[in-house]
Amino acid sequence: MSESGGPDVTQELRLPWDDDPEDLYEHAPCGYLTTLPDGTVVRVNETFLNWTGYTRADLIGHRRFRDLLTPGDQIYHETHYAPLLAMQGEVHEIALEVVGADERRLPMLVNSVLERSPNGSPRIIRTMVFNATERRSYERELLAARRAAEASEQRVRVLQQIVADLAAAPTEAEVAEAVVRAPEPAFQATSTSIYLVDAERDQLVAVASTDPTTGNWEDMPRSSTRAVAEVARRGDLHVIGTLADAEAHFPDLAESMRRSGRGTVVLLPLTTGAADEQGGPVVLGVLAFSFRDERVLTDGELRVIRLLGQQAGQALDRARLYDDGRRREERSSFLVRTTRALDEEHRLLQRARRLVERVVPEVADWALVRLQVGPAGLVEHHGGPAPDPARIEARTAEVIETAAPVFATDGDGLGCTVLPLIARGRVLGTLALRMAPDRRGDTAERQFLIDLADRAALACENARLYEQERAIARTLQRSLLAADVPGTDPRFVVETHYQAAARDMEVGGDWYDAFLITANKLAVVVGDVVGRGIEAATTMGQLRSAIRALASAENGPARLLEGLDRFCDRVDSARMATLVYAEVDLLNSEMAFACAGHLPPLLHEPAGSPEYLLQARSAPLGSRAGDVRRIEHRRRLAAGSRLLLYTDGLIERRSRGIDRGFEILAREYARRRDAPLKGLAAGLADTLVGRDHADDVCLLCLTLGTEERLERTIGADPLQIALLRADMRGWLAGHGVDPDCLNAVLLACSEAVANAIEHGYQDDPFGVVDVAATISPDTVEIQVTDRGRWRGPVSDVARGRGLQLIYEAMDEVAFDRTGEGTTVIMRRHRGTP
């Protein structure tokens, strides 16, 4: 009985495979294989043989399972399938391709189980294979549908982006640039070009292309027989699918396709207005894009292409409607840009030159500015050819007399407009322009020219006043800097250099001073006043006078700065000025210094490297913030020490950090340790800032005491002999050498150096000459050494007047050529001081 109470019919049901289990194996709806652990096939069912076309004899005992796979799947079997089966004992749903007896590839899904013997070693592998041909086909269809959907989505996304770009594009050029970028990402086009219709000239103008080499990239009349012009006249989409189509309808396009290797070309008119409107759509341009291979466009793609043409046409129409507004905006923009360009120049001549260069060719093809300044006036012109001089002179005189513009007319024979340049109620000069005839009678254009003349007049007047103030300030500053610097005391030498900004900026407030407080105390100072122009120069002079008044043997640097702070309470323009001030006791070589917001002094003693003196720092003069306490620092200096005071124009640059500027200055200062002091400051300025710089540069170099041994190195340049002679004169005087001996040594040294340059280096600009001088109570010894090659003996080469002077001036003269180069050794006995 069954559980439901009825008869149990399963007892009499006989299943068809109960009688023949072998038949179930052989004709199962999947393939079965049994292989040894090495993959050798030992059993296979009929289903697998029918799928693959093999016989049992082909496989059993002769082939391994991996041998039935494609080359790629054999590698996959070896690197993934077999290791995974050995590790896990089974694998499921591995997609492989089996190569049949007829070389067909059959996609399969494979499941395998590894059976092991009782001792755990692999015994056999049972594999079940499912035919996945239909599944693979279905997957391909799904993949193709997905790709089509993704391509459609990509086209829509690109079109949306293009529509957004078109909405934001205000000009024809920007619209064309946005449209020409669309076909390549949207339809995978190879190249794209766009032509716009110029209705006034009845032409198609080539505007933009991603590859101009692919076609006839040039303007063409709208009546041309070329394909682009034909589409522009018809106003409908044209797809040239093959080269044969092009040869049948557009031979010029066929030649272009053949030359550039294109298979399909699409010509899309850019239209505005609906087709059912009276007159139909208006063609504003043609978009041409091509494919390297032949391409069949789907209906969906064609709809998107037509929509692109409509959107681009509407954007072009909108851009053209704004042309008038843009022209007005361009006039205003030109005035602003011209005003800004004139403001960039500070000199009157440069402003007049910049004005005519801005006007030509944007406004006129010839322009002339005539200014009534100075005894000879100022004239600048640009463009050409120039009109008749006599007639333009007559019109200019009329404008100056009436102070009213005279505009050109078509029948006046001159074609030039002359405008008065009026500033502060007087006629400063005139601006003459020759423009194209189509711009002469426009009321808006005349108002634009009047505005231009007003702005130009104001700019020129400001430049004139600036130059006047600049000349006054420069004269004042030079007169203050030209004060006598002590130079007759053998205990010290002061070298100064001032270099004004080279970019026509106003005079700055950089300054230096050196003076004796007492017979044995020297004061040196370098400062920088805030601001520029006459006020800065005047403040500089006031500060300089205040420092001289406050300096005394009792005060010292700190108290002097305190006095200057009180001075700033009465002279507000001196507030925030910076300076470094030092006092040197010439008896004991002790220096006291203080810095009020200024860059630190740079000290180079005879032994060692240059050192920045970072002590005794406080806020700028009159400052109400920062450390306002005034302190000073004292330091004893060795004989021959060199102290450099300078302003920020020497090292500060917008293109680098100030630390880098400090490093460069210290390196260059150290490199010139053995150079003559004369010209040292100017040489530093020339190396660090050159001649084209935006700020004033001021340097003061103080050499204290007399070195026991003078060592100098100069380049092989005769001009440097004078610098060496000045340095040596001070050194000899500092050691109390009598005048006769001093002059004789200077003469002999100069002649020896000149011989070394002329005969040792023979005009080699990279040669150097070393000079070493030592002094004793009885003699002065000079050694002049070069590293050049003298031609023949020294006595033969230098047999001229120079060698004779050396022998006459010195008591002992010897030449040493044992090493590289030549050394001249000269001695002179000292007389009674």
Side-chain angles (χ1 to χ4, degrees):
M1 295 291 292
S2 66
E3 294 180 358
S4 61
D8 188 0
V9 297
T10 60
Q11 297 298 323
E12 298 182 3
L13 181 63
R14 296 182 57 83
L15 300 177
W17 57 81
D18 286 348
D19 293 337
D20 190 4
E22 186 65 23
D23 184 65
L24 172 63
Y25 175 81
E26 292 293 342
H27 299 95
C30 61
Y32 285 106
L33 296 95
T34 303
T35 64
L36 297 177
D38 66 353
T40 303
V41 178
V42 295
R43 189 174 183 186
V44 60
N45 72 344
E46 190 68 24
T47 300
F48 184 82
L49 296 176
N50 291 337
W51 287 348
T52 60
Y54 291 109
T55 64
R56 295 183 193 277
D58 293 334
L59 301 181
I60 296 177
H62 297 288
R63 304 286 290 274
R64 295 175 298 174
F65 176 66
R66 67 181 300 274
D67 297 336
L68 305 179
L69 304 178
T70 62
D73 284 347
Q74 288 181 8
I75 296 174
Y76 182 81
H77 182 281
E78 179 180 347
T79 58
H80 293 78
Y81 181 93
L84 188 62
L85 180 63
M87 181 174 61
Q88 298 183 166
E90 58 184 8
V91 292
H92 299 286
E93 297 185 355
I94 302 297
L96 301 173
E97 285 191 341
V98 175
V99 181
D102 56 358
E103 300 298 329
R104 288 185 302 113
R105 295 189 174 193
L106 304 173
M108 302 285 186
L109 287 178
V110 179
N111 298 310
S112 296
V113 177
L114 174 64
E115 293 188 3
R116 298 180 181 274
S117 60
N119 62 4
S121 61
R123 190 169 66 89
I124 60 173
I125 299 173
R126 301 187 185 277
T127 301
M128 179 185 298
V129 180
F130 294 95
N131 191 335
T133 302
E134 294 184 1
R135 177 190 176 110
R136 183 66 59 86
S137 176
Y138 176 66
E139 289 176 348
R140 289 195 184 100
E141 291 177 0
L142 286 178
L143 184 59
R146 173 182 290 181
R147 288 174 178 169
E150 290 175 349
S152 177
E153 182 181 355
Q154 172 68 11
R155 285 193 296 271
V156 172
R157 188 162 53 248
V158 171
L159 184 60
Q160 289 174 339
Q161 182 60 48
I162 294 299
V163 170
D165 293 343
L166 292 177
T171 66
E172 282 188 347
E174 290 172 314
V175 170
E177 186 64 28
V179 174
V180 82
R181 294 196 305 264
E184 295 184 22
F187 310 106
Q188 290 74 52
T190 304
S191 62
T192 308
S193 302
I194 187 171
Y195 299 79
L196 297 183
V197 174
D198 184 343
E200 293 182 2
R201 295 187 297 164
D202 198 28
Q203 282 189 332
L204 285 167
V205 181
V207 176
S209 177
T210 59
D211 187 4
T213 64
T214 59
N216 297 325
W217 182 242
E218 58 187 16
D219 299 349
M220 68 188 78
R222 203 156 34 165
S223 59
S224 171
T225 59
R226 289 170 53 184
V228 172
E230 182 71 22
V231 170
R233 291 194 299 271
R234 293 181 181 179
D236 57 352
L237 174 66
H238 202 104
V239 179
I240 298 91
T242 64
L243 182 60
D245 291 344
E247 290 175 341
H249 300 92
F250 304 109
D252 67 296
L253 182 59
E255 176 61 26
S256 175
M257 292 174 64
R258 187 180 299 108
R259 184 175 63 254
S260 59
R262 298 295 188 258
T264 296
V265 175
V266 177
L267 299 176
L268 172 66
L270 310 179
T271 60
T272 181
D276 56 358
E277 292 181 0
Q278 187 177 4
V282 178
V283 178
L284 301 181
V286 175
L287 180 68
F289 56 94
S290 59
F291 302 90
R292 191 171 302 279
D293 300 321
E294 293 183 2
R295 171 78 177 272
V296 178
L297 298 171
T298 65
D299 292 341
E301 290 175 325
L302 292 174
R303 285 194 297 271
V304 173
I305 290 173
R306 287 192 173 91
L307 181 59
L308 174 62
Q310 295 171 4
Q311 292 291 331
Q314 293 173 8
L316 285 171
D317 188 40
R318 183 176 63 252
R320 292 181 176 182
L321 289 176
Y322 291 148
D323 276 348
D324 290 339
R326 286 201 302 273
R327 277 194 293 268
R328 289 191 294 269
E329 182 181 350
E330 287 171 359
R331 292 190 188 104
S332 299
S333 176
F334 176 80
L335 290 175
V336 171
R337 287 184 282 109
T338 300
T339 302
R340 186 181 300 118
L342 295 179
D343 288 342
E344 291 174 356
E345 300 290 348
H346 300 278
R347 305 295 298 275
L348 183 58
L349 175 62
Q350 278 73 22
R351 284 196 177 184
R353 186 173 300 160
R354 178 69 67 90
L355 174 60
V356 294
E357 290 175 350
R358 298 277 312 170
V359 169
V360 178
E362 192 163 346
V363 174
D365 60 12
W366 176 84
L368 177 141
V369 169
R370 187 187 302 273
L371 298 177
Q372 301 181 109
V373 293
L378 185 151
V379 177
E380 278 294 322
H381 62 87
H382 191 62
D388 179 56
R391 301 184 68 178
I392 195 68
E393 185 73 25
R395 182 163 294 185
T396 299
E398 177 186 352
V399 169
I400 292 176
E401 181 179 355
T402 62
V406 175
F407 295 99
T409 60
D410 292 337
D412 67 0
L414 184 60
C416 289
T417 295
V418 181
L419 304 128
L421 301 177
I422 302 175
R424 294 177 173 87
R426 75 181 188 91
V427 179
L428 182 66
T430 58
L431 171 63
L433 305 169
R434 185 178 61 210
M435 300 181 299
D438 59 350
R439 302 184 65 171
R440 292 175 184 170
D442 190 341
T443 303
E445 196 72 22
R446 290 188 174 189
Q447 186 58 49
F448 160 70
L449 294 177
I450 293 174
D451 291 343
L452 174 62
D454 289 343
R455 296 190 182 210
L458 183 59
C460 290
E461 176 65 4
N462 288 340
R464 186 187 68 83
L465 295 176
Y466 161 77
E467 289 196 355
Q468 179 178 321
E469 179 180 340
R470 183 175 181 272
I472 296 172
R474 183 74 72 191
T475 302
L476 176 61
Q477 185 181 43
R478 290 292 186 186
S479 66
L480 293 172
L481 290 177
D484 293 336
V485 173
T488 59
D489 195 319
R491 295 173 295 178
F492 66 89
V493 179
V494 176
E495 171 77 1
T496 61
H497 178 73
Y498 174 79
Q499 187 169 316
R503 299 181 184 173
D504 286 325
M505 298 181 67
E506 293 182 300
V507 175
D510 295 15
W511 57 283
Y512 61 78
D513 197 8
F515 56 93
L516 286 169
I517 301 173
T518 66
N520 295 312
K521 180 169 286 189
L522 171 70
V524 291
V525 59
V526 166
D528 190 356
V529 174
V530 176
R532 310 189 73 81
I534 293 178
E535 183 178 11
T538 304
T539 304
M540 176 189 73
Q542 291 175 307
L543 269 178
R544 177 177 173 274
S545 299
I547 290 174
R548 289 201 172 209
L550 292 171
S552 67
E554 299 80 17
N555 275 346
R559 292 185 62 185
L560 183 137
L561 294 183
E562 291 172 356
L564 291 178
D565 286 332
R566 293 189 295 273
F567 171 78
C568 291
D569 293 336
R570 299 188 301 274
V571 182
D572 194 65
S573 59
R575 194 176 301 279
M576 299 306 295
T578 66
L579 63 86
V580 55
Y581 174 80
E583 295 179 353
V584 181
D585 189 325
L586 300 176
L587 294 178
N588 58 19
S589 298
E590 184 180 64
M591 177 181 69
F593 67 93
C595 283
H598 204 80
L599 300 178
L602 183 58
L603 175 66
H604 198 178
E605 296 188 292
S609 302
E611 172 191 0
Y612 285 103
L613 304 181
L614 301 175
Q615 304 85 2
R617 301 193 60 78
S618 56
L621 298 181
S623 175
R624 298 186 178 93
D627 191 352
V628 297
R629 296 173 302 168
R630 301 304 180 183
I631 56 176
E632 62 185 55
H633 184 76
R634 295 183 178 274
R635 177 163 179 165
R636 190 172 298 278
L637 303 179
S641 296
R642 287 182 174 180
L643 179 70
L644 180 69
L645 311 182
Y646 52 94
T647 56
D648 54 8
L650 184 65
I651 64 170
E652 288 187 357
R653 300 291 180 275
R654 291 184 179 181
S655 58
R656 70 178 184 223
I658 191 170
D659 289 340
R660 179 60 177 162
F662 281 132
E663 292 175 6
I664 295 174
L665 174 58
R667 184 183 66 232
E668 292 298 323
Y669 196 48
R671 193 169 65 84
R672 289 170 167 79
R673 181 64 183 88
D674 293 332
L677 180 63
K678 187 70 173 177
L680 173 64
L684 280 174
D686 190 58
T687 300
L688 269 68
V689 302
R691 296 300 174 188
D692 184 19
H693 57 100
D695 198 2
D696 294 355
V697 178
C698 184
L699 299 92
L700 184 149
C701 187
L702 168 67
T703 297
L704 184 65
T706 305
E707 302 165 76
E708 293 300 322
R709 174 183 174 87
L710 180 72
E711 294 182 350
R712 296 291 183 262
T713 299
I714 65 172
D717 181 1
L719 296 178
Q720 295 200 31
I721 297 177
L723 305 180
L724 173 67
R725 188 163 52 241
D727 223 18
M728 184 170 287
R729 182 185 297 276
W731 180 78
L732 291 171
H735 280 284
V737 177
D738 63 283
D740 290 341
C741 179
L742 183 149
N743 292 327
V745 169
L746 288 179
L747 175 63
C749 181
S750 299
E751 293 297 332
V753 173
N755 280 335
I757 294 174
E758 180 181 358
H759 303 294
Y761 292 110
Q762 299 170 2
D763 300 325
D764 178 9
F766 300 103
V768 294
V769 178
D770 296 325
V771 178
T774 56
I775 197 164
S776 69
D778 300 324
T779 61
V780 177
E781 178 178 303
I782 307 293
Q783 294 187 11
V784 178
T785 303
D786 67 76
R787 301 176 183 83
R789 293 186 177 182
W790 292 54
R791 296 176 181 174
V794 176
S795 58
D796 292 341
V797 175
R799 66 175 64 206
R801 180 66 176 164
L803 187 59
Q804 181 180 349
L805 289 175
I806 293 174
Y807 279 117
E808 291 177 357
M810 304 300 284
D811 297 320
E812 300 176 28
V813 180
F815 295 91
D816 183 3
R817 302 189 69 182
T818 56
E820 180 183 1
T822 301
T823 299
V824 182
I825 305 169
M826 302 170 289
R827 295 184 182 87
R828 169 80 182 205
H829 298 296
R830 299 178 61 179
T832 303

